[in-house]
Structure formats: structure tokens, C-alpha cells
Amino acid sequence: KFMEISDRVYDLLVDTQITVDVMLGSASITIKEFLDLGEGDILSLDKAAGAGGDIYVNTRIIGRGDIIVIDEKLAVRVQDAMDSDNVVRYFFEENML
């Protein structure tokens, strides 16, 4: 069902703080393998080096980007992002206000 977002609601919505997560990759292992992990062990991920990361808000992917380093901190350079109208509608429908 399509709901109209008023200008007032839009202004409130875009000022809402959100948490953005960037997923570098994943691995499928058993609980025993997980419990056996120790300092210095390596867990291989399912993405190739240089493949970038997926950008999430809540559980929804909203884009992809390249992983870079700025001032010794990891960052993501957005390469592909969901259309801004779709992102705003998603937040609105998730009752983030």
C-alpha cells in the first residue's frame, strides 16, 4: 500500500540518526569450529579480496562500496546505492519516526 509522505514528516525523517553497517563478507562454519577459534586464527570469508562491502541499514542492503582507509580508519566509498526516494520510503515504512 502506497502512503504519501508529507514534507513535515520527510523533514523529520531525514534528520533521524541511523546506524549503517558494512558487511565485508561471511563464512559458514559449525558452532564447534567457531568455539575453537582463538587469537591469531584466520576465518576465510566468501568474498574475493577487493570485492568491496555491502552497505546495510537495519537488515536491508541499501548499497555497495569499496573499502578504503582514511586516517588509519576503515571507510567505504559508495559505488552503488539505492535510489534516495526508495531509501526514505523504506525508513518511513519501518516506522523509524
Side-chain angles (χ1 to χ4, degrees), residues 83-96:
D83 176 82
S84 59
D85 286 344
N86 287 332
V87 171
V88 170
R89 182 150 308 283
Y90 165 67
F91 293 144
F92 178 72
E93 290 171 355
E94 290 292 305
N95 299 316
M96 294 190 70

Side-chain angles (χ1 to χ4, degrees), residues 17-89:
Q17 291 285 319
I18 60 172
T19 298
V20 176
D21 296 308
V22 179
M23 181 183 270
L24 300 178
S26 62
S28 181
I29 61 173
T30 66
I31 292 175
K32 178 173 182 356
E33 290 169 326
F34 178 77
L35 295 174
D36 288 343
L37 288 174
E39 186 175 334
D41 288 344
I42 295 172
L43 183 59
S44 183
L45 303 177
D46 62 354
K47 280 194 175 178
D54 296 328
I55 304 168
Y56 285 84
V57 173
N58 293 344
T59 58
R60 181 159 185 174
I61 186 167
I62 62 164
R64 291 183 177 80
D66 295 330
I67 306 303
I68 61 173
V69 177
I70 297 177
D71 297 329
E72 298 185 22
K73 290 189 177 184
L74 288 178
V76 62
R77 178 185 299 123
V78 177
Q79 296 296 330
D80 178 32
M82 181 186 290
D83 176 82
S84 59
D85 286 344
N86 287 332
V87 171
V88 170
R89 182 150 308 283

